[in-house]
Amino acid sequence: MGKKLHISVDQDICIGCTTCAALCPKYYQMSETTGKAEPVQEVASDKADFDEIIEAERSCPVDAISVEEKE
Ligand code: F3S
C-alpha cells in the first residue's frame, strides 16, 4: 500500500486567513459557518496532490494545519 496523508486543521488556532484554501482548494475549504478552514477530505492517497497539500500546510501563518504521513 502507498503512503497517505492525514490532514487536520486546528479550529482553535486557525484565524481564517484563507491561504490554505487558495493554494490547495482540493483539500482545504473555508467553512461558511465558522469562517475557518477545514479539510475537504481528511485522507489523501494520490501522490500527485502531496506537494500542494504540504505547501499549504507550511504556508499557514499560525501553524494551524497538521499533515501526518501514514501507511
Ligand atoms: Fe486557517 Fe491557516 Fe488556512 S489560518 S485558513 S488554516 S492557512
Side-chain angles (χ1 to χ4, degrees), residues 15-46:
I15 54 170
C17 81
T18 75
T19 303
C20 56
L23 287 173
C24 185
K26 189 170 170 185
Y27 285 91
Y28 302 92
Q29 66 190 356
M30 302 308 296
S31 163
E32 282 178 23
T33 47
T34 65
K36 298 187 178 195
E38 57 194 16
V40 176
Q41 49 190 85
E42 289 179 1
V43 181
S45 52
D46 187 346

Side-chain angles (χ1 to χ4, degrees), residues 4-5 8 10 13 27 31 34 42 44-45 48 66 69-70:
K4 294 187 170 119
L5 295 186
S8 62
D10 190 322
I13 298 175
Y27 285 91
S31 163
T34 65
E42 289 179 1
S45 52
S66 303
E69 193 175 292
K70 296 180 189 167

